[in-house]
Amino acid sequence: MFVKPLSVIMPCLAILLSYQSTEAAPMGFSESTMAMGDFNNNWREAFINYAITPRDAFGVSATYMRADDKTKTRTLEELTYTRLLKRWNMPHAQANLWFMGGLGMLQGEDKQAGNDQSFDEIMVTPGVQFDYETTRVYLAATHRFYRASDINHDYSAVRAGFSFYETEYDRTQPWFIVEARNMNGLSEKIEITPMLRFINKNFFIEAGVNNSREPRFNFMYIF
Amino acid sequence: MKKLLFTSLILSTLLSNVAFATQTIKANVNGMVCAFCAQGIEKKMRALSQTKDVYVNLKQRVVAVELKDGQTLSNDTVKDLIKDAGYEVTSIEVSEHPIAQIKAGYETMEKEKK
């Protein structure tokens, strides 16, 4: 019942707005290194990048993906580039338009009755994210292509949430975030994950349980 | 002799005031809504040799940099560092109050609002 309206809302938001999985921002400030992790049963990603300018970051990423029925597994190692295309700094809000892209090697395995296949291919992963945030509200929409020859695992996600209260800069702020996401060709479901997010000036963590009752954990850290 | 002593006293008082005058640069910043994202501003400011302390207030959109005694820092440098961290400075002023006093002022203001 909740999924059906989302299937309408998601494309609309994607058009109106348009990252990779989870976060407030996919890169840190100039000359900083950012590490990120996103883990659940079917999607596990570890990512690190270095911001060479306030707007550009290069990094490496490793992603493991698995189909809901466990018949397909994918492992992707990429070199990534992140670009802040546009930032809107408002008195009580910030909005960003990001480009994220990667080029890497995909190792795939398809298990079918009597016909198991494994393959290696070059994969490209260009995508965009739009996010809008105040001290109380967070909205984000992401679409990223995951393409290789005869492979389409395009990723779409929308997120919305609110903070329980405003905090001082030195204090940890709790948020409630809901994410809906889908990866084409690996899952026919829309994965919906309500999460608790804790933001501090030194760390960013999220934890929740999705609509298949699987746990999810995300983190970000800037060095 | 008396005149010389008086002049010396005045001069030494003035000089000691100059030597110990607090200087804090206070900037109003747009787009500063998240502590995790705004840590860049604090880290960039603290990396400066002139910096004694840094104060960030997300609600009031304020970044304040207190300088070490006898140090100077141009407003433009502060503006550029905040811009490099991804934010926009809407106004900037130099205050003679230390950060502790500025922070206490905002805390009082917020208590009064409640």
Side-chain angles (χ1 to χ4, degrees):
Chain A
M1 213 170 145
F2 183 51
V3 174
K4 215 168 183 183
L6 268 172
S7 64
V8 177
I9 294 165
M10 275 182 64
C12 293
L13 268 174
I15 291 165
L16 280 172
L17 319 170
S18 179
Y19 163 69
Q20 180 66 26
S21 53
T22 58
E23 284 66 40
M27 61 178 276
F29 52 93
S30 177
E31 296 173 3
S32 70
T33 301
M34 192 186 83
M36 185 201 93
D38 180 1
F39 307 99
N40 78 352
N41 286 357
N42 289 338
W43 176 278
R44 297 167 210 165
E45 183 185 11
F47 173 72
I48 191 161
N49 70 11
Y50 178 77
I52 57 165
T53 76
R55 288 177 171 265
D56 305 275
F58 287 93
V60 290
S61 165
T63 309
Y64 167 85
M65 315 159 213
R66 188 177 68 179
D68 289 337
D69 59 7
K70 301 176 185 174
T71 58
K72 295 177 187 172
T73 58
R74 308 282 185 258
T75 310
L76 172 66
E77 298 86 29
E78 295 174 277
L79 293 172
T80 64
Y81 170 65
T82 305
R83 166 86 182 168
L84 174 59
L85 296 170
K86 177 77 181 167
R87 170 165 285 171
W88 295 267
N89 282 313
M90 293 158 269
H92 296 285
Q94 187 184 76
N96 301 288
L97 182 63
W98 303 91
F99 167 83
M100 303 88 51
L103 177 67
M105 284 304 299
L106 176 78
Q107 296 86 43
E109 206 175 289
D110 291 351
K111 289 178 187 166
Q112 290 165 349
N115 186 25
D116 289 4
Q117 283 185 326
S118 59
F119 52 88
D120 293 339
E121 290 193 31
I122 292 173
M123 180 167 255
V124 290
T125 63
V128 286
Q129 172 180 304
F130 178 87
D131 53 61
Y132 172 86
E133 189 175 6
T134 71
T135 52
R136 297 300 306 275
V137 173
Y138 177 76
L139 298 166
T142 304
H143 187 74
R144 190 161 174 179
F145 297 100
Y146 281 79
R147 300 285 177 99
S149 173
D150 301 324
I151 299 275
N152 174 342
H153 291 323
D154 291 357
Y155 177 102
S156 303
V158 288
R159 300 182 137 232
F162 61 88
S163 64
F164 293 100
Y165 47 83
E166 285 186 312
T167 54
E168 286 180 29
Y169 173 67
D170 289 335
R171 299 281 174 86
T172 301
Q173 186 179 31
W175 288 70
F176 178 75
I177 301 283
V178 177
E179 184 197 70
R181 68 177 182 177
N182 174 259
M183 177 163 261
N184 184 56
L186 289 173
S187 178
E188 296 195 349
K189 291 191 300 192
I190 291 175
E191 180 190 7
I192 296 169
T193 316
M195 289 177 279
L196 282 176
R197 171 192 283 185
F198 298 93
I199 295 184
N200 183 286
K201 65 174 184 174
N202 296 315
F203 63 81
F204 175 112
I205 55 172
E206 291 177 329
V209 176
N210 69 13
N211 52 341
S212 300
R213 296 181 182 178
E214 294 164 338
R216 169 110 178 256
F217 176 76
N218 304 318
F219 78 90
M220 287 173 73
Y221 189 84
I222 296 177
F223 303 91
Chain B
M1 187 66 183
K2 265 185 184 174
K3 202 175 178 182
L4 190 66
L5 271 173
F6 181 72
T7 308
S8 305
L9 188 67
I10 294 286
L11 270 175
S12 64
T13 307
L14 278 174
L15 285 173
S16 68
N17 278 343
V18 167
F20 294 104
T22 298
Q23 196 181 30
T24 302
I25 300 174
K26 205 172 89 176
N28 286 296
V29 182
N30 270 1
M32 206 171 57
V33 293
C34 155
F36 185 74
C37 308
Q39 64 174 299
I41 295 177
E42 186 190 1
K43 287 187 175 171
K44 296 273 181 194
M45 295 299 174
R46 287 198 189 279
L48 296 170
S49 61
Q50 298 98 322
T51 301
K52 182 179 178 185
D53 197 9
V54 179
Y55 171 63
V56 177
N57 185 318
L58 297 178
K59 280 186 199 170
Q60 302 297 329
R61 306 181 288 124
V62 163
V63 174
V65 187
E66 185 177 331
L67 306 183
K68 290 175 185 166
D69 293 339
Q71 297 288 316
T72 56
L73 186 65
S74 75
N75 289 356
D76 285 345
T77 303
V78 172
K79 270 184 186 177
D80 288 347
L81 284 174
I82 293 173
K83 195 180 169 190
D84 271 2
Y87 299 90
E88 183 190 335
V89 175
T90 55
S91 65
I92 197 160
E93 62 184 89
V94 178
S95 163
E96 289 181 357
H97 301 302
I99 276 180
Q101 199 175 331
I102 292 170
K103 191 178 174 183
Y106 284 121
E107 284 170 356
T108 307
M109 197 168 81
E110 278 163 22
K111 273 181 194 164
E112 281 170 2
K113 270 186 189 174
K114 288 174 187 171

Short mmCIF file of all heavy atoms in Angstrom, two decimals, chain B residues 7 13 25 27-28 31-32 35 43 47 49 58 63-64 66 68-69 71 75 83 86-88 96 99 107-109 114:
data_model
loop_
_atom_site.label_atom_id
_atom_site.label_comp_id
_atom_site.label_asym_id
_atom_site.label_seq_id
_atom_site.Cartn_x
_atom_site.Cartn_y
_atom_site.Cartn_z
N THR B 7 53.71 60.39 31.27
CA THR B 7 53.68 59.97 29.86
C THR B 7 54.02 58.48 29.73
O THR B 7 53.37 57.75 28.98
CB THR B 7 54.68 60.79 29.02
OG1 THR B 7 54.45 62.16 29.27
CG2 THR B 7 54.55 60.52 27.54
N THR B 13 50.29 51.82 29.60
CA THR B 13 48.91 51.34 29.71
C THR B 13 48.33 51.08 28.33
O THR B 13 47.73 50.05 28.07
CB THR B 13 48.04 52.39 30.44
OG1 THR B 13 48.67 52.71 31.66
CG2 THR B 13 46.63 51.88 30.69
N ILE B 25 37.06 37.54 14.65
CA ILE B 25 36.39 37.82 13.36
C ILE B 25 35.13 36.97 13.31
O ILE B 25 35.18 35.74 13.47
CB ILE B 25 37.32 37.51 12.18
CG1 ILE B 25 38.58 38.38 12.28
CG2 ILE B 25 36.61 37.75 10.85
CD1 ILE B 25 39.64 38.06 11.26
N ALA B 27 31.71 35.90 11.24
CA ALA B 27 31.10 35.89 9.90
C ALA B 27 29.71 35.26 9.95
O ALA B 27 29.49 34.28 10.66
CB ALA B 27 31.98 35.10 8.94
N ASN B 28 28.79 35.86 9.23
CA ASN B 28 27.48 35.24 9.04
C ASN B 28 27.54 34.42 7.76
O ASN B 28 27.99 34.93 6.72
CB ASN B 28 26.38 36.30 8.94
CG ASN B 28 26.11 36.91 10.30
OD1 ASN B 28 25.66 36.23 11.22
ND2 ASN B 28 26.44 38.18 10.45
N GLY B 31 23.96 28.61 4.27
CA GLY B 31 24.08 27.21 3.84
C GLY B 31 24.64 26.28 4.91
O GLY B 31 24.76 25.08 4.67
N MET B 32 24.92 26.83 6.08
CA MET B 32 25.56 26.02 7.13
C MET B 32 24.48 25.34 7.98
O MET B 32 24.02 25.88 8.97
CB MET B 32 26.43 26.94 7.99
CG MET B 32 27.58 26.26 8.64
SD MET B 32 28.68 27.46 9.41
CE MET B 32 27.60 28.34 10.52
N ALA B 35 26.35 19.83 11.01
CA ALA B 35 27.64 19.85 11.72
C ALA B 35 28.69 19.01 10.99
O ALA B 35 29.85 19.41 10.89
CB ALA B 35 27.46 19.34 13.15
N LYS B 43 37.97 23.03 10.73
CA LYS B 43 39.31 22.48 10.52
C LYS B 43 40.22 23.45 9.78
O LYS B 43 41.40 23.60 10.09
CB LYS B 43 39.23 21.14 9.79
CG LYS B 43 38.71 20.04 10.71
CD LYS B 43 38.75 18.68 10.08
CE LYS B 43 38.33 17.63 11.10
NZ LYS B 43 38.13 16.31 10.55
N ALA B 47 43.55 25.39 11.44
CA ALA B 47 44.85 25.13 10.83
C ALA B 47 45.69 26.41 10.70
O ALA B 47 46.90 26.35 10.48
CB ALA B 47 44.66 24.50 9.46
N SER B 49 47.83 29.58 11.78
CA SER B 49 48.72 29.81 12.93
C SER B 49 48.20 30.92 13.83
O SER B 49 48.50 30.99 15.01
CB SER B 49 50.13 30.12 12.44
OG SER B 49 50.08 31.29 11.65
N LEU B 58 25.28 26.79 14.35
CA LEU B 58 24.46 26.47 13.17
C LEU B 58 23.14 27.24 13.17
O LEU B 58 22.68 27.70 12.14
CB LEU B 58 24.16 24.97 13.11
CG LEU B 58 25.35 24.02 12.95
CD1 LEU B 58 24.87 22.58 12.95
CD2 LEU B 58 26.14 24.30 11.69
N VAL B 63 30.07 31.91 12.26
CA VAL B 63 31.40 31.34 12.49
C VAL B 63 32.27 32.45 13.08
O VAL B 63 32.32 33.54 12.52
CB VAL B 63 32.05 30.85 11.18
CG1 VAL B 63 33.49 30.40 11.41
CG2 VAL B 63 31.24 29.71 10.58
N ALA B 64 32.88 32.18 14.24
CA ALA B 64 33.74 33.19 14.87
C ALA B 64 35.14 32.62 15.06
O ALA B 64 35.31 31.48 15.46
CB ALA B 64 33.15 33.62 16.20
N GLU B 66 38.66 33.52 16.94
CA GLU B 66 39.39 34.37 17.89
C GLU B 66 40.88 34.23 17.60
O GLU B 66 41.39 33.11 17.46
CB GLU B 66 39.07 33.95 19.33
CG GLU B 66 39.69 34.87 20.35
CD GLU B 66 39.31 34.48 21.78
OE1 GLU B 66 38.22 33.91 22.00
OE2 GLU B 66 40.13 34.75 22.68
N LYS B 68 45.02 34.78 18.23
CA LYS B 68 46.02 34.81 19.31
C LYS B 68 46.47 36.26 19.52
O LYS B 68 46.41 37.07 18.58
CB LYS B 68 47.24 33.96 18.93
CG LYS B 68 46.95 32.47 18.92
CD LYS B 68 48.17 31.73 18.42
CE LYS B 68 47.89 30.25 18.27
NZ LYS B 68 48.92 29.57 17.48
N ASP B 69 46.94 36.55 20.71
CA ASP B 69 47.39 37.91 21.03
C ASP B 69 48.43 38.38 20.01
O ASP B 69 49.38 37.65 19.71
CB ASP B 69 48.02 37.96 22.43
CG ASP B 69 46.97 37.71 23.51
OD1 ASP B 69 45.78 37.90 23.21
OD2 ASP B 69 47.35 37.31 24.61
N GLN B 71 48.15 38.80 16.88
CA GLN B 71 48.04 38.25 15.52
C GLN B 71 46.98 39.00 14.72
O GLN B 71 46.04 39.53 15.28
CB GLN B 71 47.66 36.77 15.57
CG GLN B 71 48.68 35.88 16.25
CD GLN B 71 49.92 35.69 15.38
OE1 GLN B 71 49.82 35.46 14.20
NE2 GLN B 71 51.08 35.79 16.00
N ASN B 75 39.87 39.87 6.77
CA ASN B 75 38.50 39.37 6.56
C ASN B 75 38.43 38.53 5.28
O ASN B 75 37.70 37.55 5.21
CB ASN B 75 37.52 40.54 6.46
CG ASN B 75 37.32 41.22 7.79
OD1 ASN B 75 37.85 40.77 8.81
ND2 ASN B 75 36.55 42.29 7.81
N LYS B 83 34.46 30.04 1.96
CA LYS B 83 34.01 29.76 0.59
C LYS B 83 34.59 28.42 0.11
O LYS B 83 33.90 27.61 -0.51
CB LYS B 83 34.44 30.89 -0.34
CG LYS B 83 33.74 30.88 -1.68
CD LYS B 83 34.20 32.04 -2.54
CE LYS B 83 33.70 31.86 -3.97
NZ LYS B 83 34.32 32.81 -4.88
N GLY B 86 32.87 25.52 1.11
CA GLY B 86 31.60 25.29 0.42
C GLY B 86 30.46 26.18 0.85
O GLY B 86 29.31 25.95 0.50
N TYR B 87 30.74 27.25 1.56
CA TYR B 87 29.66 28.09 2.08
C TYR B 87 29.82 29.54 1.61
O TYR B 87 30.84 29.90 1.03
CB TYR B 87 29.64 28.03 3.61
CG TYR B 87 29.41 26.61 4.08
CD1 TYR B 87 30.49 25.75 4.31
CD2 TYR B 87 28.12 26.11 4.24
CE1 TYR B 87 30.29 24.44 4.70
CE2 TYR B 87 27.92 24.80 4.63
CZ TYR B 87 28.99 23.97 4.86
OH TYR B 87 28.79 22.67 5.23
N GLU B 88 28.79 30.35 1.93
CA GLU B 88 28.81 31.71 1.44
C GLU B 88 28.73 32.68 2.62
O GLU B 88 27.84 32.58 3.46
CB GLU B 88 27.59 31.91 0.53
CG GLU B 88 27.50 33.25 -0.11
CD GLU B 88 26.14 33.45 -0.79
OE1 GLU B 88 25.49 32.46 -1.17
OE2 GLU B 88 25.75 34.62 -0.91
N GLU B 96 35.69 42.85 19.49
CA GLU B 96 36.73 42.85 20.52
C GLU B 96 36.40 41.85 21.63
O GLU B 96 37.13 41.72 22.60
CB GLU B 96 36.91 44.26 21.10
CG GLU B 96 37.56 45.20 20.11
CD GLU B 96 37.77 46.60 20.66
OE1 GLU B 96 37.35 46.85 21.80
OE2 GLU B 96 38.36 47.41 19.94
N ILE B 99 35.62 34.62 22.20
CA ILE B 99 34.59 33.64 21.80
C ILE B 99 33.70 33.25 22.99
O ILE B 99 32.48 33.11 22.83
CB ILE B 99 35.25 32.42 21.13
CG1 ILE B 99 35.48 32.76 19.66
CG2 ILE B 99 34.39 31.16 21.27
CD1 ILE B 99 36.11 31.68 18.86
N GLU B 107 23.83 31.98 23.80
CA GLU B 107 23.12 31.06 24.71
C GLU B 107 22.02 31.78 25.50
O GLU B 107 20.92 31.27 25.64
CB GLU B 107 24.12 30.38 25.66
CG GLU B 107 24.91 29.28 24.97
CD GLU B 107 26.07 28.73 25.79
OE1 GLU B 107 26.35 29.25 26.89
OE2 GLU B 107 26.72 27.79 25.31
N THR B 108 22.35 32.97 25.94
CA THR B 108 21.36 33.77 26.68
C THR B 108 20.19 34.11 25.76
O THR B 108 19.02 33.99 26.13
CB THR B 108 22.01 35.07 27.20
OG1 THR B 108 23.17 34.71 27.93
CG2 THR B 108 21.07 35.86 28.08
N MET B 109 20.52 34.50 24.52
CA MET B 109 19.49 34.87 23.56
C MET B 109 18.55 33.69 23.29
O MET B 109 17.34 33.84 23.25
CB MET B 109 20.17 35.30 22.26
CG MET B 109 19.31 36.09 21.31
SD MET B 109 20.35 36.80 20.04
CE MET B 109 20.55 35.41 18.96
N LYS B 114 13.15 30.76 24.39
CA LYS B 114 12.33 29.65 24.91
C LYS B 114 11.38 30.17 25.99
O LYS B 114 10.32 29.75 26.19
CB LYS B 114 13.23 28.55 25.47
CG LYS B 114 13.95 27.77 24.38
CD LYS B 114 14.93 26.78 24.99
CE LYS B 114 15.80 26.11 23.93
NZ LYS B 114 16.88 25.32 24.48
#
